[in-house]
């Protein structure tokens, strides 16, 4: 992870089979990945990006001053 311009970035990657390349990657997500996306986007106002070529790479960026909603 690293900090930059008021955000904390976390990148997780591997070189395994990953997800199939698809214009709609969401159709392959488990309920756990859907939950992670909801928490990142809606609870802590962050972003999450998936890249699926040559394995899988997940990049999560959240503001370094997080205000969690109720």
């Amino acid at each position: 992870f690293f900090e930059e311009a008021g955000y904390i970035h976390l990148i997780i990657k591997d070189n395994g089979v990953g997800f199939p390349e698809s214009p709609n990657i969401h159709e392959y997500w488990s309920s756990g990945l859907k939950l992670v996306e909801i928490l990142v986007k809606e609870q802590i106002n962050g972003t999450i990006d998936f890249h699926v070529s040559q394995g899988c790479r997940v990049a999560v960026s959240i503001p370094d001053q997080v205000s969690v909603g109720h």
Side-chain angles (χ1 to χ4, degrees):
F1 94 97
F2 63 96
E3 293 183 55
E4 177 184 61
Y7 282 85
I8 299 170
H9 304 279
L10 174 64
I11 298 173
I12 303 158
K13 62 183 178 177
D14 69 20
N15 61 355
V17 295
F19 293 100
E21 291 194 39
S22 168
N24 186 13
I25 191 170
H26 290 90
E27 67 188 59
Y28 297 103
W29 285 15
S30 66
S31 57
L33 285 175
K34 291 174 187 173
L35 179 61
V36 168
E37 181 183 40
I38 290 168
L39 292 172
V40 168
K41 289 183 174 181
E42 296 181 17
Q43 291 293 314
I44 56 179
N45 298 318
T47 62
I48 186 166
D49 294 306
F50 284 81
H51 304 275
V52 295
S53 63
Q54 299 175 345
C56 183
R57 178 181 178 270
V58 180
V60 176
S61 297
I62 61 172
D64 65 359
Q65 299 291 320
V66 175
S67 176
V68 178
H70 295 96

